[in-house]
Amino acid sequence: MKKFMDKNFILETKTARSLFAACQNEPLWDYHCHLSPKEIAENKQFKNLTEIWLGGDHYKWRQMRTYGIEEKYITGDAPDYEKFLKWAETIEHLIGNPLYHWTHLELQRYFGIYEPLSVKSAPVIWEKANSMLKSPELSVKGIFKKFNVYGVGTTDDPIDSLEYHKAIREGTAPIGKIDTLVCPSFRPDKALYIHKPDFKDYIEKLSQAAGMQINNTDDVIKALENRLDYFVQNGCLVADHGLSYPPYTQARYEKARDKAADELFKAAMEGKQISEEEGEAYITKVLSSLAVAYKKRGIVMQLHMNVIRNINQKAFETIGPDTGFDAVHDNSMAEKLSAFLNLCELKGGLPKTILYSLNPKDYYAVATIMGSFQGDGIKGKIQLGSGWWFCDHKDGMEQQLKVLGNLGMLPTFVGMLTDSRSFLSYTRHEYFRRILCNLIGNWVENGEFPDDKALLEDIVKDISFRNAKNYFARS
């Protein structure tokens, strides 16, 4: 029997262990996350394990609810220690869930704690971890250094002042000068979601931020381009979009879509209710225009697709968004995605693009579609995004890697990201690297690929870090 999560965790073969040894110390380029720029700038020192570990982590919250934990111990006002004990009680029952692996990798790598978390071990773990959290090594700056974090891409609204990013870049923030790149990512979802009740209010805020009047769809695009330029001036390398499904409205002529988009915009600004389906003409025009803007500025476009958000209305109204009430969508997206990418290509050319689906059934469709838009002399210009959210577990990562290997070119993959709000999530990169090395190691030891050590080490180092570094560098 193998030891629980020892140094050879997941690494089943000699080749896998050798490859992991070669790439485990590569820097981390966490190009998509939801970390707080304010907490980075202030070099936050977390007061206890609950604050850094459970605060904002809706992965854990979902499972605590599943185990029957009352909401006061999850997002409520229960004392932090009691919340931690409830998490310890929950995790004992998470066999087969990636949270079990993530939790114990975090305990091991951040705190040197190798004892499994349980109700019994919780008090000792609480005391040891909290004592260590007082050390500068586990401040934000210390964590970046400890895990060799080359860069992070936060997620930011176009109307954001980026004051914390500015202070970080200028070295005037409390965190001082750091080696880690902290880049804002352009996330204009609120300007696209014409079907949302707060759309009109948001457009008024965008108008103020851009310093211009917004009267139609073209004005929305100009305002967003204005803010995009501001983001680029402040280090932006990536744009991101959260979509239920790829937008594409059939229109015989571009003018017909433009007219429909303007009519929808006018209706929304008059306070009329528009469904997501009805709003497609508007979203298609704005997002395809943004794609052209990204291409001109060397910005990578990310499309996160096939998610249903806030499906529990009662919970949304009492607790709010991003609290663990989202789900996988089952949309049929291939036709619309291919048509949307084609539209972008015709309008001015696709930027470098990463395509994510929350539903793994889409991987084969997405991988074949993206193969039709590669080119421009860019290695892996269009990417099949890493197993995301409900798919970033061992099975999900292996499935994504195998599909990419079968239908694309695995050695050009830009690798893992945390998509996390927690500074304790950097061990997910290690988790990914172990899964990657084990998969490739098995192929080699099964005689499916040559045992060429130099070539294999280059492949895993590229996927772990070097591809991402090159891909996100503005051309």
Side-chain angles (χ1 to χ4, degrees), residues 184-223:
S185 296
F186 191 72
R187 178 83 176 237
D189 289 357
K190 291 180 180 178
L192 291 172
Y193 292 166
I194 196 169
H195 55 285
K196 297 284 188 179
D198 59 352
F199 176 77
K200 180 175 184 272
D201 290 341
Y202 181 78
I203 293 299
E204 291 171 354
K205 293 175 182 176
L206 176 62
S207 173
Q208 293 174 3
M212 61 173 283
Q213 194 72 27
I214 298 178
N215 298 312
N216 53 42
T217 309
D218 286 334
D219 288 343
V220 173
I221 295 166
K222 288 176 185 176

Side-chain angles (χ1 to χ4, degrees), residues 15 135 150 220 384:
T15 302
S135 166
Y150 171 84
V220 173
L384 176 64

Side-chain angles (χ1 to χ4, degrees), residues 44-53 78-81 83 126-127 129-134 138:
K44 183 164 184 175
Q45 194 90 44
F46 294 87
K47 63 182 181 181
N48 59 45
L49 196 50
T50 294
E51 183 182 36
I52 194 172
W53 218 15
D80 284 351
Y81 182 55
K83 289 183 175 181
W126 173 261
E127 293 298 329
N130 287 350
S131 175
M132 294 182 69
L133 282 170
K134 297 175 183 177
L138 290 179

